[in-house]
Amino acid sequence: MNCDEFRHNWTDWHEGWSARDEAEAMAAHRASCDACAAYDRQMRQLLSQLAALGETSARSRETASAQRPSTRWMALAATLVIGIVIGVVASTQFGSEHGHMSADVVPFEEPGTHRVAIAVDSPNALDEVEFVVELPEGAELIGYPGQREVRWHSDLAAGESRLQLPLRIREGADLGVLVTRIVHHKREQRLEVPLQLRAGGSDDDAA
Amino acid sequence: MPVKSLQARRFARILEQHRDSLQRLARRLTGNADDAEDLFQDLVERVTPRMAEVVRLERPQPWLARVLYRLFVDRWRQQQVRPDTDPDADVEVQPDHRDLPDDQFERALTAQRLEAALQRLSPHLRDVVVLHDVEGYTLNEIRVMVDTPIGTLKSRLHRGRARLRELLVDGTFPPSHS
């Protein structure tokens, strides 16, 4: 694969429309080409900023008491944000003890790109928090094709932050439970979010 | 309580529930607040006689958005001076090799410049980018809304995104050739 092909096929790859071998070729090219890796990062930034345009007015309607995530957290989230907001599906409080919570089932009307947002409430600012996302069969985190587990480190601001997970749901996927673990100094909060792809009708008969 | 009154109240509640997102979409499509308000009022006039249908919908928002979009295309876009050439005549998008370091690109990517770049896109490309990437509609919802095949929408989405990046990288916003 060359740079022209990478850039020409970027949207198909990013949205999960590529065949598996093409997706692998794209990932390999990104890993070997600094210019296309930068192109990839910048296109993701562009999509994050476009999504933010749509969220700006929605955020302005939220209660004034809603706390803004830290800049660093926002930067992290911005690398992940695309697709459709389906809302905050669950929240977890990062306290002094281990915790284990389950959320209600998140239903997806159709396969494709969706976003799940998880609210994390921390009484204190924390450095070097490890985030672990474990994905069920049929779902993948966009930007990490084929990976069942994704880990990264970031700081966590005091108050409420939102972890936004852009997911690609495969057609016909059975799905299962999405697990998010937040680990800091051997303390761990674990949140389980059952995902479900349901066959739903559409209201297509518009005027 | 008369059935008609109950239905009217449910209809009003649905409109109120989706007012913000529909007005935001109208604002994105028309590009200014005054036209957006007029377009939204057109929508209300169009769907009020169909309130019995609206209140039965499981998901009224995409349906209302589709009506809004079609009103926009039928009544509003025709009034625009700017012509929209065949949007799919140049299906092959030319790969963009104008690169910027990440920090320069980040500086170029302000909300204000992005809004300006969106306005430079040809209407058909802008519609798909706005509906998909800004407002978060799925391609299936957009397919129904704009009555265009999925493959064409995918192509327009890619071309719209690539063109946006070009505009941001260029910084000078040259005349659109999308």
Side-chain angles (χ1 to χ4, degrees), chain B residues 14-171:
Chain B
I14 288 170
L15 279 186
E16 190 57 36
Q17 185 180 355
H18 300 294
R19 173 190 292 272
D20 285 349
S21 66
L22 292 166
Q23 287 185 326
R24 192 171 68 237
L25 176 60
R27 173 74 174 77
R28 290 271 165 223
L29 293 171
T30 62
N32 71 79
D34 289 340
D35 286 348
E37 182 57 30
D38 289 347
L39 178 58
F40 180 75
Q41 291 307 322
D42 279 0
L43 169 72
V44 174
E45 285 180 24
R46 172 63 71 90
V47 299
T48 296
R50 300 178 67 177
M51 69 169 67
E53 191 177 350
V54 173
V55 299
R56 284 199 305 269
L57 293 171
E58 185 180 345
R59 297 167 60 221
Q61 206 279 345
W63 190 93
L64 291 167
R66 181 187 183 194
V67 179
L68 181 85
Y69 180 81
R70 291 193 171 177
L71 279 171
F72 169 70
V73 171
D74 293 345
R75 296 186 186 177
W76 290 78
R77 185 163 281 166
Q78 289 176 4
Q79 300 171 12
Q80 293 183 327
V81 175
R82 183 179 171 189
D84 184 18
T85 53
D86 180 1
D88 300 308
D90 54 341
V91 169
E92 288 299 319
V93 64
Q94 295 302 311
D96 179 19
H97 291 290
R98 281 168 286 189
D99 291 329
L100 274 185
D102 285 349
D103 57 342
Q104 288 183 37
F105 184 79
E106 195 168 348
R107 282 200 294 275
L109 192 56
T110 63
Q112 188 177 13
R113 294 191 65 190
L114 188 53
E115 293 273 16
L118 274 171
Q119 293 306 314
R120 299 285 304 185
L121 291 182
S122 71
H124 283 82
L125 300 187
R126 184 172 66 239
D127 287 354
V128 179
V129 171
V130 163
L131 291 169
H132 189 272
D133 290 340
V134 179
E135 297 299 330
Y137 290 95
T138 66
L139 275 188
N140 271 330
E141 288 170 339
I142 300 169
R143 173 184 60 81
V144 174
M145 205 181 295
V146 307
D147 196 21
T148 300
I150 287 280
T152 304
L153 294 176
K154 287 180 177 178
S155 170
R156 288 181 187 173
L157 183 62
H158 174 61
R159 292 160 56 213
R161 289 170 172 178
R163 180 71 184 132
L164 273 181
R165 181 180 177 278
E166 278 180 42
L167 290 166
L168 291 163
V169 168
D170 280 357

Side-chain angles (χ1 to χ4, degrees), chain A residues 17-184:
Chain A
W17 302 329
S18 303
R20 179 180 292 268
D21 56 347
E22 186 178 81
E24 289 172 356
M26 290 286 288
H29 182 79
R30 179 181 59 180
S32 66
C33 176
D34 289 345
C36 287
Y39 180 89
D40 177 55
R41 284 194 300 274
Q42 292 171 10
M43 288 297 280
R44 289 168 194 272
Q45 279 184 294
L46 172 63
L47 297 193
S48 298
Q49 191 72 5
L50 285 168
L53 290 181
E55 290 169 358
T56 300
S57 53
R59 271 204 302 272
S60 68
R61 292 192 301 275
E62 292 177 355
T63 60
S65 61
Q67 196 161 351
R68 186 183 176 83
S70 73
T71 303
R72 277 187 289 186
W73 177 273
M74 290 291 283
L76 168 70
T79 65
L80 297 171
V81 172
I82 72 161
I84 304 163
V85 176
I86 63 170
V88 176
V89 299
S91 63
T92 183
Q93 186 171 50
F94 201 94
S96 57
E97 304 295 332
H98 289 271
H100 185 168
M101 293 178 55
S102 294
D104 293 337
V105 172
V106 176
F108 299 110
E109 298 292 337
E110 57 187 35
T113 302
H114 300 272
R115 185 167 62 211
V116 172
I118 294 171
V120 181
D121 188 15
S122 177
N124 306 305
L126 302 172
D127 291 331
E128 280 299 296
V129 176
E130 183 180 35
F131 297 86
V132 184
V133 176
E134 299 170 11
L135 297 137
E137 193 67 34
E140 65 182 24
L141 197 58
I142 289 173
Y144 302 87
Q147 295 187 32
R148 298 266 65 80
E149 180 180 285
V150 179
R151 294 171 177 263
W152 71 95
H153 288 82
S154 179
D155 299 335
L156 184 60
E160 184 180 293
S161 301
R162 290 188 182 188
L163 174 60
Q164 306 211 46
L165 302 174
L167 301 177
R168 183 173 299 121
I169 307 299
R170 276 210 316 267
E171 191 159 3
D174 287 334
L175 296 179
V177 177
L178 170 81
V179 178
T180 302
R181 294 191 287 122
I182 305 172
V183 185
H184 185 251

